[in-house]
């Protein structure tokens, strides 16, 4: 596609359930990033991939968060045993290579009841 | 630790009233400073990348400049459609623990009244 796509656009879940968020980067972009934006907060970096590997996972808020990228393309962010504080907009971005400008998707709004 | 501070937090302008947004940064080994625009309910939209002090870039009514400590986004004769949140972000040079990430400021909410 022409831009970064994310699905679902909205997700409402109950506390304790697992959720999977998907990101489809711009074709040909080797780097992929996940950020979180909470109400009134700035964008918080979570993790990035260069190809299929994630050199640094220290931005993930807890061990309930994990991410993978397969085939150098689609990425999935999984949150296990969701908590109310996980409610936020999860944004995915991609860039041609790591230090280039990042292009963002529309985000997934996650609400944990 | 990388820090990015944007000011003001909010700015209200009349249509045609030019102004500037500020982004101050502290980072070891700047690899790039980025400006984004974010409309409500949407992801950030890329505007500019600046790499070295003295560099300037322009796009329509927007002009971004960079010094060793800060960047300015100048808005000339703004229109209501320029209303949005403007975000500044820095990319740290290699050697940091997360050199793939952008560190964002809190943003400036710009409102342009007709």
């Amino acid at each position: 596609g022409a831009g970064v796509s994310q699905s679902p656009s909205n997700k409402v879940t109950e506390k304790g359930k697992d959720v999977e968020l998907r990101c489809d980067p711009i074709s040909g972009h080797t780097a992929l990033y996940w950020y979180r934006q909470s109400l009134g907060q700035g964008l918080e970096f979570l993790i990035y991939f260069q190809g299929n590997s994630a050199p640094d996972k220290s931005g993930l808020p807890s061990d309930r968060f994990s991410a993978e990228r397969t085939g150098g393309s689609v990425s999935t962010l999984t949150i296990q045993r969701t908590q109310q504080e996980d409610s936020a907009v999860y944004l995915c971005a991609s860039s041609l290579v790591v230090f280039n400008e990042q292009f963002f998707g529309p985000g997934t709004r996650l609400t944990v009841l | 630790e990388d820090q990015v501070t944007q000011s003001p937090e909010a700015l209200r302008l009349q249509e045609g009233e030019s102004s500037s947004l500020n982004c101050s940064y502290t980072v070891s080994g700047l690899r790039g400073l980025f400006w984004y625009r974010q409309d409500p309910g949407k992801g950030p939209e890329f505007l500019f990348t600046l790499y070295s002090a003295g560099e300037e870039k322009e796009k329509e009514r927007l002009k971004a400049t960079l010094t060793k400590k800060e960047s300015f986004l100048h808005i000339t004769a703004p229109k209501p459609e320029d209303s949005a949140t403007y975000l500044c972000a820095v990319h740290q040079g290699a050697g940091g623990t997360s050199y793939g990430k952008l560190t964002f400021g809190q943003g400036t909410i710009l409102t342009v009244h007709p």
Side-chain angles (χ1 to χ4, degrees), chain A residues 33 35 37 40-45 48 55-56 58-59 91 97-107 109, chain B residues 31 34 36 38 41-46 49 51 87 91-94 97-106:
Chain A
Y33 313 80
Y35 294 84
Q37 189 172 34
Q41 302 292 317
L43 274 83
E44 173 191 5
F45 170 79
Y48 85 97
D56 181 12
S58 63
L91 291 160
V97 293
V98 170
F99 286 112
N100 281 25
E101 52 270 15
Q102 298 177 17
F103 295 91
F104 284 80
R109 181 175 296 278
Chain B
R31 284 294 296 263
F34 301 80
Y36 287 85
Q38 187 172 27
K42 296 189 177 181
E45 173 190 349
F46 170 73
T49 309
Y51 291 105
L87 299 167
H91 218 160
Q92 185 186 5
T97 57
S98 294
Y99 72 86
K101 76 172 185 179
L102 286 176
T103 299
F104 280 84
Q106 294 294 313

Side-chain angles (χ1 to χ4, degrees), chain B residues 2-18:
Chain B
D2 300 349
Q3 284 196 325
V4 180
T5 304
Q6 292 189 246
S7 62
E9 291 184 8
L11 181 63
R12 296 176 183 269
L13 299 174
Q14 288 297 127
E15 185 171 3
E17 179 187 3
S18 302

Side-chain angles (χ1 to χ4, degrees), chain A residues 6-8 18-23 32-36 44 46-49 59-62 64-69 74-80 82 86 89-92 108 110:
Chain A
Q6 293 185 247
S7 62
D18 298 351
V19 295
E20 282 190 354
L21 312 180
R22 176 189 167 107
C23 172
L32 184 148
Y33 313 80
W34 284 98
Y35 294 84
R36 179 169 72 172
E44 173 191 5
L46 299 178
I47 191 171
Y48 85 97
F49 290 88
L60 295 175
S62 76
R64 296 185 294 104
F65 288 71
S66 63
E68 65 175 14
R69 188 181 186 194
V74 172
S75 176
T76 302
L77 178 69
T78 301
I79 309 173
Q80 295 179 312
T82 52
D86 298 334
V89 176
Y90 289 82
L91 291 160
C92 175
T108 292
L110 175 65

